[in-house]
Amino acid sequence: MSEKNREGKRTARERLQEQREKDKAREKRKRALIVGGSVVAVLAIAAVIGVVAANSGGGSGGTSAAASPAGATGTDKLVIPSGATDAPSTLTVYEDFRCPACGQFEKNYRDTIHGLQDSGQLKVEYHLVRIIDGNLGGTGSLNAGNAAACAQDQNKFRAFHDVLYENQPSESDDKFAKKPYLLELAGKVPGLKTAAFTACVNDGTYDAWIKASNTAFGKSGFNSTPTVLLNGKNIYADTNNPLTPDKLKQLVATANKGKPAGTATPSVSASAASPSPSASG
């Protein structure tokens, strides 16, 4: 083989080798770009997930706490207290403003409960729920509950609570869904129908709070309203041994024997528009 031919073959081998090296380098760069792009994509997806989680309140139960009315107490501040906070006995009431059985309970026991409250023997913890909305549709339970919570901001809960039950429509009539009607009823409570209260009712300020209270009730083990507990014991469910106003007085007297009456009124936030230190809730 001539020197010229050997040189030509060597040059061809070198060119082939160079091309292979170039191809390898190109493939390496391609793989690097693919990997890099994948990392960026993963990071971008993670960032989006993080934003979604942050917006949904992820990391601590999945939802942010609902705004609660002034002076609310209990787990997640879902309780509206009424009566002396240091009263020796506690009546827990789960109620729905559209519930006819709740209306009957109020009619039969309201004066007795008020008397026990005002004498410092009993404090009441109200849990507002919306069972009838769920059963029959509508928003009367929700809107009335929100309005009652708005009244709590004005330190007028007990008075407005009584007005709502005094004007409770029939179960199938969702009249409490009408906010102008709720505002009309608020006019029956002196000093309640302020600009702040009106805005609170119209804006549904405590709608989420009522819904949270209703959800908590669903997890409580109870399934009807009214549910009434005295110092944690259900006293209103036994149809064979029905509760009466006199029996409620006796139960409270027995539980309170040897204990001083309460005198401390519930604390209402300074943001309440019409504070009334002498009110009992």
Side-chain angles (χ1 to χ4, degrees):
M1 180 181 294
S2 67
E3 184 66 25
K4 184 176 182 180
N5 287 339
R6 283 197 298 270
E7 184 63 28
K9 288 183 177 182
R10 185 167 55 252
T11 301
R13 285 196 299 271
E14 291 174 352
R15 287 199 300 269
L16 181 60
Q17 183 63 30
E18 289 175 359
Q19 186 61 43
R20 287 174 177 170
E21 293 296 331
K22 289 179 181 179
D23 290 343
K24 288 180 180 179
R26 188 181 301 112
E27 187 65 26
K28 186 175 181 181
R29 287 196 301 273
K30 184 178 179 180
R31 287 197 301 269
L33 287 172
I34 291 173
V35 172
S38 298
V39 171
V40 171
V42 169
L43 292 175
I45 292 171
V48 170
I49 291 173
V51 170
V52 171
N55 288 338
S56 64
S60 58
T63 57
S64 57
S68 57
T73 61
T75 302
D76 295 330
K77 294 188 176 181
L78 296 177
V79 173
I80 290 183
S82 180
T85 57
D86 56 346
S89 281
T90 301
L91 193 72
T92 302
V93 179
Y94 293 87
E95 64 178 6
D96 180 330
F97 287 111
R98 284 181 73 185
C99 163
C102 295
Q104 191 62 41
F105 174 79
E106 285 297 318
K107 180 180 179 181
N108 292 337
Y109 293 91
R110 184 186 70 181
D111 292 345
T112 299
I113 291 172
H114 285 356
L116 291 169
Q117 283 181 301
D118 294 343
S119 63
Q121 301 301 310
L122 186 72
K123 61 178 177 288
V124 185
E125 296 184 342
Y126 290 99
H127 297 253
L128 309 184
V129 303
R130 53 179 312 214
I131 291 178
I132 306 302
D133 284 356
N135 291 344
L136 299 181
T139 59
S141 303
L142 174 66
N143 290 358
N146 171 69
C150 295
Q152 169 68 7
D153 281 351
Q154 308 300 317
N155 208 15
K156 305 283 185 180
F157 174 81
R158 191 172 99 169
F160 188 57
H161 176 274
D162 292 349
V163 166
L164 286 172
Y165 279 114
E166 287 166 359
N167 294 273
Q168 185 187 55
S170 65
E171 185 178 19
S172 59
D173 181 2
D174 197 20
K175 197 171 182 179
F176 281 165
K178 300 174 182 177
K179 294 179 179 180
Y181 179 61
L182 294 172
L183 293 172
E184 178 185 330
L185 293 180
K188 296 177 180 292
V189 179
L192 174 57
K193 197 176 176 182
T194 62
F197 173 82
T198 299
C200 184
V201 171
N202 286 331
D203 293 345
T205 298
Y206 298 118
D207 283 0
W209 182 81
I210 296 293
K211 292 174 182 177
S213 180
N214 192 67
T215 297
F217 177 66
K219 298 176 180 178
S220 69
F222 304 117
N223 55 19
S224 63
T225 53
T227 290
V228 183
L229 315 176
L230 178 62
N231 299 324
K233 182 180 179 180
N234 196 330
I235 59 172
Y236 199 63
D238 188 354
T239 56
N240 294 321
N241 184 26
L243 185 69
T244 66
D246 284 341
K247 187 176 292 185
L248 177 59
K249 291 179 183 178
Q250 292 169 5
L251 289 171
V252 171
T254 299
N256 291 356
K257 189 174 182 179
K259 300 176 183 177
T263 58
T265 56
S267 172
V268 177
S269 166
S271 64
S274 303
S276 176
S278 62
S280 61

